[in-house]
Amino acid sequence: MPFPVHILNASSLPLAELESVAETIRQLLGLSVSVAQYRLELERAFDSSRVQYNSSVLIAHILSTITSSEKQKLITIVDVDLYIPVLTFVYGEAQLDGTAAVVSTHRLANEFYGVEENRSLLLERLTKELVHELGHTFGLFHCKQFECVMRASTYVEEIDLKKMTLCEECARRLFEKIHN
């Protein structure tokens, strides 16, 4: 199967919960998806002036420690607050048309906003962000379609409003990328 997806869990989420996320991604994208525990050295990406973790540094570290090929996708889940220098925070980051991505649960969890924990909502948001960042690894850009999972999200409410699925045009581009 082309482009196997490897979800690397460097978060506190149990693997059993991520198996259901992986199954949803398998069904949505038609790709082989595996989940494994992963030890990520977060401290090398920590910026004490921002009290956040640089997601670009984490992606570079992941690629330096794992043997990868262009024909696979690595997406790592963390539960720390991520940023890139030009933005206050990010839910995730991916190499555009590349191999690796990282997604954080930190700002996806209701508890971050002072709201009661909702595990199923957290996993739904996480699944959407994983699909979104995987889309970037296949070369997809942000989409202007309101409900497309590739639409950019500045606020967690925007993640809740979009679907887990790709719009027709993004789905077509992804299909071509996977099968060409």
Side-chain angles (χ1 to χ4, degrees), residues 56-135:
S56 301
V57 172
L58 290 178
I59 288 173
H61 179 64
I62 293 162
L63 289 170
S64 73
T65 60
I66 294 181
T67 303
S68 62
S69 76
E70 293 178 14
K71 290 290 185 182
Q72 68 178 359
K73 303 297 180 186
L74 307 170
I75 189 157
T76 303
I77 301 171
V78 297
D79 47 17
V80 297
D81 199 15
L82 297 177
Y83 80 95
I84 58 174
V86 297
L87 295 174
T88 305
F89 71 92
V90 292
Y91 297 110
E93 180 184 354
Q95 291 181 296
L96 186 61
D97 208 15
T99 301
V102 62
V103 171
S104 172
T105 61
H106 186 78
R107 291 178 187 254
L108 300 177
N110 271 357
E111 301 91 293
F112 178 80
Y113 305 97
V115 180
E116 188 175 323
E117 178 182 9
N118 183 332
R119 199 66 162 202
S120 64
L121 183 58
L122 170 65
L123 295 176
E124 181 181 322
R125 290 171 177 165
L126 176 62
T127 303
K128 290 176 182 178
E129 288 308 295
L130 290 170
V131 172
H132 179 94
E133 297 305 336
L134 282 168

